[in-house]
Amino acid sequence: MLKKWQRGNKMQLATAMNLRKAMDEETKRERFASWYSTLPGIPAHEKEIIERSLKYNVWKELIKLFVVYMILSLVWFFGAGQYDPFESVTGYSLIGKKSVIGVVQEDGESLRLKNPNKGEHVSYTLAELGMDPIKYSYGSRFQTYWEKEKNGEYQLLAVLPEKQVSKIEGLYYGVMGVGYFAILIGGICAFFIRRKRYTGWFLSFYYRLEKFYSEYGVWQKYSVERGYDTVDAIIAYGNENPIYFVNEFSNIHLTKEEVKKKKSKLAMVWLTSIAVMAGIILVISLYVNITSAIECRQNEARTAAVLEKLQNAIDEKTTGLGDKSEYYNYADMIDRARDTFPEEDIYYKLQTTEDYVTIIVTTKKKQNVCFDRYVPVQGSIGDEDTEYKLEIAMVSDAMQPDDILHNYTGILKMK
């Protein structure tokens, strides 16, 4: 937590420094432009671009960019975003409709799902749903869509294979995302093009100011030690004799070699910035990959440890904490799982994280899928004497029995 707080502070500090630098640059440009445009005898074309530059304010442009982006995004959202990609496939508008997962049964010809009206599992043949049974096998998943009628009952509208739904949704959200991205990139490009058009003159002027500051000994009288930066020093120097300054400044130009050095320096800054950003992204990617690999191994070891303890409880090598205890050990978890479906063989699936243990159970009768989530209150997950409290116990609507039967961890045989 402390490290996250420190990283957050560093990011805030870096952002604040960048904003302060940008504000300083804008203030410097506006200060110089306001002063230089009042000097007598400056070239007409310089006066024109500088007066035009004074009408430009970067913060006003940023606010305009944000407002335009929000307006175009809303137009895109309420325009293209209202298109229902499923309607062209099924003939029905399915966005916002209730969806229920169905799973193909062992016979490969029927689909079982939980009817949203009664909450009971029902079966449909693939043929009566307009699906070709030859294309699908046991465990294939379908997304069913239901519309609520005026009498409160749900009516089945359409059935689509889950893979097809994923492709349609992926394409739809991809198009929407590309649209938002294009609006953002277009706005940013317009912002920088306008910024270059109105303020691009200042960089070459500033290079000339630096050269004038050095060659004419401005630094001797108006030095940094006295609180002057380059622009302040030039303004103070120019105010002593404006006509002399304009005449002399008009003769100051960078040589080709100096321009080349400036461009090389600027390119080096950009390349360094890009390299630093690439390095940061690489380090973050490596950190995420390494962390994920470590967490995956830790989770596998943790799951194996819990499974070993559960097997000992199944084999009755361990006993529960007793009815008087409000907590659970591994034997209590097995007893509770058995009590969920008495007098039936129970198929269970084990899931673990660093925070909890979940046991999901169902039976061959495929009535329901129930799951219990336990969090440790004493000890660590996978340890022998760890005690847990039951955090969640519920019947799942998202999972179907065949999801477990098709990929279960073990079977609790009926006693």
Side-chain angles (χ1 to χ4, degrees), residues 233-277:
I234 293 295
I235 292 174
Y237 182 87
N239 284 337
E240 293 181 356
N241 191 335
I243 296 177
Y244 171 77
F245 170 76
V246 171
N247 291 334
E248 296 302 321
F249 184 67
S250 63
N251 296 322
I252 288 291
H253 296 283
L254 273 65
T255 64
K256 291 183 178 180
E257 188 64 28
E258 289 172 331
V259 171
K260 185 177 180 181
K261 287 182 179 179
K262 291 290 184 182
K263 288 183 177 180
S264 298
K265 184 178 179 181
L266 187 61
M268 185 60 66
V269 170
W270 276 103
L271 289 174
T272 302
S273 300
I274 293 172
V276 170
M277 290 301 297

Side-chain angles (χ1 to χ4, degrees), residues 146-164:
W146 301 72
E147 183 176 39
K148 195 171 188 178
E149 299 181 332
K150 293 181 179 179
N151 60 6
E153 293 288 317
Y154 283 96
Q155 179 69 32
L156 179 63
L157 286 180
V159 181
L160 291 173
E162 194 174 53
K163 291 182 178 179
Q164 185 180 5

Side-chain angles (χ1 to χ4, degrees), residues 69-139:
Y69 172 71
M70 291 302 298
I71 292 174
L72 292 178
S73 295
L74 289 173
V75 170
W76 178 253
F77 178 79
F78 289 105
Q82 299 305 303
Y83 170 73
D84 191 331
F86 295 101
E87 191 167 1
S88 59
V89 179
T90 64
Y92 296 100
S93 178
L94 302 182
I95 289 182
K97 300 297 188 293
K98 184 178 181 62
S99 62
V100 179
I101 293 293
V103 183
V104 175
Q105 302 301 289
E106 292 94 333
D107 58 14
E109 297 180 354
S110 59
L111 185 72
R112 190 175 177 86
L113 53 93
K114 182 177 285 187
N115 189 307
N117 292 310
K118 299 180 180 180
E120 298 176 352
H121 283 83
V122 296
S123 292
Y124 296 90
T125 63
L126 293 177
E128 68 178 321
L129 294 175
M131 314 301 293
D132 186 357
I134 298 176
K135 295 182 179 180
Y136 308 102
S137 58
Y138 176 48

Side-chain angles (χ1 to χ4, degrees), residues 265-403:
K265 184 178 179 181
L266 187 61
M268 185 60 66
V269 170
W270 276 103
L271 289 174
T272 302
S273 300
I274 293 172
V276 170
M277 290 301 297
I280 292 173
I281 294 172
L282 179 60
V283 169
I284 292 174
S285 299
L286 288 173
Y287 174 77
V288 170
N289 289 335
I290 293 172
T291 303
S292 299
I294 292 173
E295 288 180 354
C296 184
R297 291 184 180 181
Q298 289 175 342
N299 191 56
E300 290 175 355
R302 183 169 50 244
T303 301
V306 172
L307 189 58
E308 180 184 356
K309 307 303 183 298
L310 290 177
Q311 190 59 50
N312 289 337
I314 294 171
D315 296 338
E316 299 182 349
K317 295 179 180 179
T318 57
T319 58
L321 299 175
D323 294 336
K324 293 183 180 181
S325 175
E326 61 179 314
Y327 299 130
Y328 297 78
N329 64 5
Y330 298 106
D332 293 319
M333 294 179 187
I334 294 300
D335 291 340
R336 180 176 170 80
R338 290 185 186 278
D339 292 339
T340 305
F341 298 102
E343 301 180 358
E344 293 183 58
D345 289 344
I346 295 173
Y347 293 75
Y348 73 90
K349 185 173 181 63
L350 173 66
Q351 294 179 343
T352 67
T353 70
E354 60 181 357
D355 299 316
Y356 59 80
V357 172
T358 300
I359 298 179
I360 310 169
V361 296
T362 191
T363 69
K364 277 287 187 179
K365 291 185 178 180
K366 304 177 183 178
Q367 296 174 344
N368 277 311
V369 175
C370 303
F371 73 87
D372 296 330
R373 177 180 291 177
Y374 301 89
V375 295
V377 293
Q378 179 180 325
S380 300
I381 293 176
D383 292 346
E384 184 69 45
D385 299 326
T386 302
E387 294 182 5
Y388 297 82
K389 70 175 181 179
L390 183 61
E391 183 183 44
I392 299 175
M394 62 180 293
V395 177
S396 175
D397 288 327
M399 280 184 272
Q400 298 298 317
D402 284 282
D403 292 332

